[in-house]
Amino acid sequence: CAPTRFPRYTVTRSMSDSKRVRVAVIGLGHIGNLHSRLYQGDEQAELVAVCDLIQERAEAAAARYGVPSFTNAQEMLNAINPAVVSGAT
């Protein structure tokens, strides 16, 4: 049985046609920093905050990505109101 093939397509909508998605990352170990870096480099996403229970991790990531840091997820959600949260804990 041959695998099903799907046609290729090209998305032609530019970012000027829509808003970027506001994203926050919780948990700033290896995977959380990877998520932060990928979201920051994605033209459809806007990294708006980072959060970790370990204050030094949160502050280091905030300095690296140029966003506010938090050590309490609920406080971050209340203050920043992101559309998407990446939980890398």
Side-chain angles (χ1 to χ4, degrees), residues 59-78:
E59 290 173 352
R64 189 176 308 119
Y65 304 115
V67 296
S69 68
F70 293 84
T71 56
N72 180 294
Q74 190 61 57
E75 288 177 9
M76 179 191 70
L77 295 173
N78 292 342

Side-chain angles (χ1 to χ4, degrees), residues 13-72:
R13 183 179 71 175
S14 70
M15 285 313 299
S16 62
D17 295 335
S18 66
K19 269 180 98 173
R20 295 170 72 190
V21 177
R22 293 171 46 86
V23 181
V25 175
I26 299 173
L28 294 163
H30 176 72
I31 299 300
N33 274 287
L34 174 63
H35 287 200
S36 297
R37 189 169 63 249
L38 292 172
Y39 284 127
Q40 189 175 52
D42 188 327
E43 69 178 23
Q44 295 180 358
E46 177 187 7
L47 182 65
V48 294
V50 292
C51 179
D52 197 285
L53 290 174
I54 301 170
Q55 186 172 356
E56 293 80 18
R57 278 187 180 184
E59 290 173 352
R64 189 176 308 119
Y65 304 115
V67 296
S69 68
F70 293 84
T71 56
N72 180 294

